[in-house]
Amino acid sequence: MTRRRLYLFFVFAWAAFLALGASIYLGPYFAAWQIREAVAAGDAETLHDFVDFEAVRDNLKSELRRTVGASRRAQNRENAASGDGGAEAAEPTPDLGTQLAVAVGEAMIDQFATPEGVDRALRDGPTVAKGWSAFLDLGGESGEAVEGAGGVSVSAEYEGWNDFAVRLGVERDPPDEDPLWADILFERRGIWAWRVTGARVSPDAIPLLTR
């Protein structure tokens, strides 16, 4: 092999290595873009391919229990500070209302975090968009349609080699209030494939998304 051919071989090998690395790195960004396009087009079949529904249900139930528990602990701390609950009020105490809230929430997750639930949501586009437009439109005028909300921001980052999150945020008016945000969580499956496996939302965003 001549020196020129050897040089060209290394150039092409290096270019192929860079292209491979870029395709692996950009995989979740491309998956997020495909999901956005599928939502905009009402393409439920494509959307199903990008969601691990069992993992999503498990994640949302865990988030529900964490959120309810955190709210309960905060309430107990307030009661303790005001002298209504005694020294033990700082610890969460299970009650029928909390258990009922968790049970109802988990039942709703089992109903809606399914392929059938996604199909219904896409069919009811205008209704769903009332609450979700601030997050799904990814900018433009979506924030203006929501009372007390400003512009929409989108950011994305790796949270680990196999974990990726897309954060959709809405600035609030007045600006000194904490922004609303929702994270869509992705997990690597294989080398290039990515699937949605869960979500996180700021506590203040829950009423917006469910109204």
Side-chain angles (χ1 to χ4, degrees), residues 28-29 32 138 154-157 159 164-168 182-186:
Y29 293 93
L138 306 185
V154 182
S155 60
E157 64 177 0
E159 296 186 338
F164 187 83
V166 175
R167 171 159 294 192
L168 313 173
D183 288 344
I184 303 173
L185 306 178
F186 292 75

Side-chain angles (χ1 to χ4, degrees), residues 26-51:
L26 295 175
Y29 293 93
F30 184 57
W33 177 81
Q34 288 179 291
I35 288 173
R36 180 184 177 227
E37 293 299 297
V39 171
D43 185 353
E45 184 176 352
T46 296
L47 198 56
H48 294 172
D49 293 338
F50 284 97
V51 180

Side-chain angles (χ1 to χ4, degrees), residues 116-149:
E116 295 77 17
V118 169
D119 294 347
R120 286 194 299 269
L122 292 179
R123 285 198 302 267
D124 297 337
T127 301
V128 174
K130 182 179 180 181
W132 279 95
S133 61
F135 295 115
L136 294 182
D137 285 346
L138 306 185
E141 299 178 354
S142 61
E144 298 176 8
V146 180
E147 183 179 354

Side-chain angles (χ1 to χ4, degrees), residues 61-71 73 181 200-201:
K61 289 177 183 180
S62 177
E63 283 291 300
L64 172 67
R65 291 189 290 268
R66 182 188 62 80
T67 301
V68 171
S71 299
R73 286 191 293 273
W181 54 265
R200 294 187 300 248
V201 297

Side-chain angles (χ1 to χ4, degrees), residues 20 23-28 158 161-162 188-194:
L20 177 62
S23 67
I24 293 175
Y25 177 80
L26 295 175
Y158 277 88
W161 173 247
N162 295 319
R188 185 191 302 274
R189 300 294 171 82
I191 298 179
W192 286 279
W194 290 81

